[in-house]
Amino acid sequence: SRRCGLAAGRSYSGGGAYPSVSLTCPLPGVPKAVFAAAESRERFETRVTVLENGLRVASQNKFGQFCTVGILVNSGSRHEAKYLSGISHFLEKLAFSSTAQFGSKDEILLTLEKHGGICDCQASRDTIMYAVSADARGLDTVVNLLADVTLQPRLSDEEMEMTRMAIRFELEDLNMRPDPEPLLTEMIHAAAFRDNTVGLNRFCPVENTDKIDRAVLHSYLSSYYTPDRMVLAGVGIEHEHLVECARKYLLGVEPVWGSGQGRAVDKSVAQYTGGIIKVEKDMSDVSLGPTPIPELTHIMIGLESCSFLEDDFIPFAVLNMMMGGGGSFSAGGPGKGMFTRLYLNVLNRHHWMYNATSYHHSYEDTGLLCIHASADPKQVREMVEIITREFILMAGAVGEVELERAKTQLKSMLMMNLESRPVIFEDVGRQVLATNTRKLPHELCALISQVKPTDIKRVVTKMLHKKPAVAALGDLTDLPTYEHIQAALSSKDGRLPRLYRLFR
């Protein structure tokens, strides 16, 4: 038609006439384009296969050249009651060292470098995770490497000594940091679950570094590094290819510690105890320099919440988002999370408060909701009063606007985090390890949307019936007694003014 011929004589800035190719009519003989589209049935995104030895293989395909693959083990510091404390921390630092196939860590890194890969290992209270991100075309090499690192580590004397040095350095660094949040997290767990499961120390004590040897590690590994306690998870790869690699490298493999059974697996359920742990420490010279952080006393108060397997987990997550908080200066500038309760009720009203932040830790059998606050040592008494008041006010009226804002913020944070491939990998692995399946993002968003003010009030009321857990670090001269804190948290709204006078 005439319209399709318009471009033939059109001149362009190049000087000559453009070839007689129409920009509006399809080219003859060219097949119809098929455009990539997201799978509309999201429930088929995450696929899980259980191998004959009990190993679970979970994957989610995702567009892109790179993949993240790793092995997650149901093992962590909570399982060390019958062993020397710190084994999981030790294994984390030893990860990706020499194995049966690879003579050194450098050899492993060079192998990964050929596929543009990086590796990492992280140990938590309930999981150890070995992960590799690399070009998806190197999947065979990556799974072979992961299997060797997990089941065939050499644990040479030189590597053991280097690990001891790395742990000692990390412990020194933890005690010198201006931000004591990792230490306070350890203390609040130890206070809340005294001498059991998630209350056991996540970091290896200095006195245990020389006691942990190859025999101790082999004994622990034989108990907890078994196929039925493992998940091979991958994001960005075809499921069938991952299952094929799992069968090739993880099925029927004899671990370096042998096939004999170790000690019985610790299946203890977390026992919440509550209590207080205090560490008197001079914080006056923690941060030196031209703009030093002022001397502060840090308090963390927590109460038992619930397991991530319970229905109340979602209301607790919304409550934690509603409390929010942060430092007295927001790195994102005005407006970043400034509508949360700890900003509106605490940081905006009390200029001397340096920090007020809510945290929610959740595990397979328990959870802990806590608030971290810091201020000048002379203001500790008033700071504790303010934080206990915020816990009590959680059980009061919940505004519709603040609830909707918290739910929207939680959904936004969830979806934004799941834009990252390593985060999807960890989400897939942890969920399959705990439940053999995975709740997809749209399912979680639907559950978040259903949370009502009555749900928040119900979970808070249940939480306030427990004894508090308290962690205190710094100059504790003016810290109220544990009995006073407990009395304030177990009170009702009408009794608050009288109980607050206990602090004065």
Side-chain angles (χ1 to χ4, degrees), residues 472-487:
L473 178 69
D475 181 349
L476 308 179
T477 308
D478 292 331
L479 180 71
T481 66
Y482 178 75
E483 289 72 25
H484 286 168
I485 298 171
Q486 184 179 0

Side-chain angles (χ1 to χ4, degrees), residues 4-171:
C4 292
L6 285 176
R10 187 177 293 166
S11 294
Y12 292 87
S13 57
Y18 195 77
S20 303
V21 177
S22 168
L23 299 179
T24 56
C25 294
L27 294 175
V30 176
K32 188 178 178 182
V34 179
F35 297 98
E39 176 59 62
S40 58
R41 303 180 72 185
E42 278 190 306
R43 62 179 177 273
F44 294 123
E45 273 190 357
T46 305
R47 298 175 60 185
V48 182
T49 299
V50 183
L51 301 188
E52 293 82 346
N53 62 354
L55 177 78
R56 286 156 286 179
V57 182
S59 75
Q60 178 182 320
N61 207 348
K62 186 176 173 67
F63 295 112
Q65 180 183 350
F66 283 79
C67 67
T68 300
V69 183
I71 292 176
L72 292 92
V73 188
N74 186 7
S75 159
S77 58
R78 68 170 296 162
H79 300 107
E80 294 173 1
K82 299 177 183 176
Y83 293 87
L84 285 169
S85 175
I87 290 178
S88 300
H89 189 197
F90 212 91
L91 289 170
E92 177 189 66
K93 297 301 174 192
L94 261 176
F96 293 99
S97 296
S98 64
T99 67
Q101 290 184 49
F102 301 92
S104 67
K105 191 170 197 134
D106 288 341
E107 198 174 321
I108 288 174
L109 295 177
L110 284 170
T111 303
L112 287 175
E113 198 176 290
K114 293 173 185 175
H115 302 284
I118 56 172
C119 60
D120 187 29
C121 178
Q122 292 180 11
S124 62
R125 288 185 156 76
D126 52 4
T127 310
I128 294 182
M129 180 173 64
Y130 301 82
V132 170
S133 287
D135 193 303
R137 289 171 294 184
L139 181 64
D140 208 86
T141 304
V142 167
V143 177
N144 178 28
L145 170 63
L146 284 166
D148 218 42
V149 163
T150 311
L151 301 174
Q152 305 285 336
R154 282 187 183 172
L155 310 179
S156 70
D157 292 339
E158 184 183 355
E159 288 166 347
M160 296 285 283
E161 194 52 45
M162 288 294 290
T163 300
R164 293 184 183 105
M165 290 171 61
I167 288 174
R168 290 185 196 118
F169 175 81
E170 185 176 355
L171 293 175

Side-chain angles (χ1 to χ4, degrees), residues 172-373:
E172 283 181 26
D173 180 60
L174 276 172
N175 285 306
M176 292 169 63
R177 284 185 191 177
D179 176 22
E181 196 269 325
L183 282 179
L184 281 166
T185 301
E186 288 305 302
M187 291 166 64
I188 197 75
H189 278 82
F193 306 93
R194 194 172 289 275
D195 298 327
N196 76 90
T197 57
V198 294
L200 299 177
N201 198 345
R202 192 169 68 85
F203 297 109
C204 181
V206 176
E207 62 271 17
N208 283 359
T209 53
D210 290 324
K211 298 176 185 176
I212 296 175
D213 56 19
R214 192 182 296 107
V216 170
L217 293 178
H218 279 181
S219 173
Y220 180 85
L221 292 167
S222 64
S223 295
Y224 290 97
Y225 277 46
T226 55
D228 58 302
R229 299 179 66 83
M230 292 182 178
V231 168
L232 173 66
V235 176
I237 36 80
E238 294 290 340
H239 185 72
E240 289 76 13
H241 191 185
L242 186 62
V243 172
E244 180 188 332
C245 290
R247 290 186 182 281
K248 187 174 178 182
Y249 299 111
L250 288 159
L251 197 59
V253 176
E254 178 80 10
V256 71
W257 49 84
S259 55
Q261 288 296 316
R263 302 185 195 181
V265 170
D266 186 359
K267 296 181 180 178
S268 303
V269 176
Q271 302 295 317
Y272 181 82
T273 60
I276 185 167
I277 289 185
K278 300 187 287 186
V279 176
E280 289 271 1
K281 186 178 179 184
D282 181 9
M283 307 285 280
S284 59
D285 60 348
V286 168
S287 174
L288 303 175
T291 55
I293 296 175
E295 181 183 357
L296 300 170
T297 293
H298 300 267
I299 304 293
M300 195 176 272
I301 300 175
L303 291 163
E304 187 180 23
S305 58
C306 73
S307 153
F308 58 69
L309 300 176
E310 296 178 47
D311 292 338
D312 283 344
F313 172 68
I314 299 295
F316 268 116
V318 174
L319 172 64
N320 180 56
M321 191 61 66
M322 196 165 72
M323 298 307 295
S328 56
F329 174 78
S330 170
K336 182 186 175 187
M338 296 296 186
F339 288 98
T340 61
R341 284 194 179 186
L342 291 178
Y343 263 118
L344 291 174
N345 301 345
V346 178
L347 294 168
N348 286 356
R349 295 183 182 182
H350 307 285
H351 64 89
W352 46 267
M353 288 279 280
Y354 193 82
N355 183 21
T357 313
S358 176
Y359 295 96
H360 186 219
H361 306 277
S362 197
Y363 306 96
E364 199 169 341
D365 51 359
T366 188
L368 191 65
L369 183 79
C370 44
I371 295 176
H372 168 209

